Amino acid sequence: MSADDWDAQLLYFLDKGYRVVAHDRRGHGRSSQVGDGHDMDHYAADIAAVVAHLGLRNAVHIGHSTGGGEATRYVARHGQDQGRVAKLVLIGAVPPIMVRTEANPSGLPTEVFDGFRQQLAANRAQFYLDIASGPFYGFNRPGAQAAQGVVHNWWRQGMMGGAKAHHDGIRAFSETDFTEDLKVIGVPTLVMHGDDDQIVPIANSALLSAKLLKRGTLKVYEGLPHGLCTTQADVVNPDLLTFIRA
């Protein structure tokens, strides 16, 4: 996806008088489709470069899904010096770790992510339509009506990026262990998650992350999906504002 996926938040917080900065991850959106560096260390270093270039101080970093892992690693490794970061928000985020390992026996089997890679390689365009019209926004739930504009916008954003970046990114979001990152983060952190998230199950993510954080606050949304920032922006945005102003 790209910075466009934050439209509902960008406009909301601009209207509240905030400066809002969003970026397209390397290989995604309008950023260069480079062939390497599609891992959390590079993602975090890229954020650090943007922050330094813009001279940002006292910023609130908000990351959704893979971006939650990206923001976690940035704050842990780059953002706690020189007053760069005031607060952190993780929404439907992948930490601590998604894949099943000996240390994380309740994680998702690696075959799940192998399947993602296979579907992406076989027909990326169809795969993105299927994800957006199904589990990402909960449009596959009984009685749910898919918002076609939302589905098409998700697909548009996805197809702007590069297949290599997306293929490698699956490993980055599923296999990176953020446990130690979470433990060292000292800024106030809000962990927001829908309990009907079919992409990043809440039991293996938000519930664990909130316990590992020194100053973590957990906010669970009953029945809400992974893409809640888009479909339930009217619920998410005021809660973000309350946390930022606190």
Side-chain angles (χ1 to χ4, degrees):
M1 305 179 78
S2 74
D4 294 351
D5 205 53
W6 292 101
D7 283 355
Q9 286 70 48
L10 291 166
L11 294 172
Y12 178 86
F13 283 100
L14 281 173
D15 186 59
K16 301 298 181 183
Y18 289 91
R19 180 185 185 187
V20 189
V21 177
H23 78 291
D24 292 355
R25 183 181 299 120
R26 63 168 59 202
H28 294 64
R30 291 159 288 258
S31 289
S32 299
Q33 294 188 17
V34 295
D36 58 1
H38 306 296
D39 57 74
M40 286 295 167
D41 289 348
H42 280 87
Y43 294 166
D46 289 344
I47 296 176
V50 171
V51 168
H53 176 72
L54 296 176
L56 302 182
R57 294 285 189 278
N58 200 38
V60 178
H61 283 261
I62 303 175
H64 172 254
S65 195
T66 301
E70 187 175 322
T72 296
R73 180 135 299 178
Y74 165 75
V75 173
R77 297 194 177 181
H78 303 276
Q80 300 194 102
D81 300 325
Q82 303 173 336
R84 294 287 193 193
V85 178
K87 296 179 181 180
L88 172 65
V89 182
L90 305 177
I91 308 176
V94 297
I97 180 173
M98 289 195 70
V99 74
R100 181 182 297 165
T101 64
E102 289 186 9
N104 184 42
S106 62
L108 296 173
T110 188
E111 290 79 11
V112 171
F113 306 106
D114 289 341
F116 287 169
R117 282 183 279 263
Q118 290 166 6
Q119 292 174 69
L120 187 152
N123 189 337
R124 184 165 64 122
Q126 187 60 53
F127 177 50
Y128 288 173
L129 279 178
D130 292 343
I131 292 290
S133 60
F136 198 93
Y137 297 107
F139 292 151
N140 58 339
R141 292 307 195 199
Q145 277 194 319
Q148 291 305 311
V150 169
V151 173
H152 293 160
N153 190 42
W154 201 100
W155 182 89
R156 175 192 65 85
Q157 291 179 70
M159 297 307 294
M160 287 171 66
K164 177 66 161 57
H166 297 169
H167 191 276
D168 292 356
I170 293 171
R171 179 182 298 276
F173 79 66
S174 65
E175 298 183 16
T176 305
D177 189 343
F178 300 95
T179 301
E180 297 306 315
D181 299 285
L182 292 165
K183 288 179 180 179
V184 302
I185 291 174
V187 299
T189 303
L190 177 62
V191 181
M192 310 169 78
H193 217 103
D195 68 3
D196 193 32
D197 190 324
Q198 300 172 68
I199 305 297
V200 182
I202 188 172
N204 301 324
S205 54
L207 301 187
L208 301 178
S209 292
K211 294 178 181 178
L212 291 168
L213 289 158
K214 294 177 181 178
R215 302 172 69 185
T217 300
L218 177 65
K219 178 75 175 180
V220 178
Y221 295 91
E222 184 177 356
L224 295 197
H226 188 62
L228 70 170
C229 290
T230 296
T231 53
Q232 280 83 25
D234 60 328
V235 174
V236 172
N237 290 352
D239 286 347
L240 285 172
L241 182 63
T242 297
F243 175 71
I244 290 169
R245 284 178 168 172

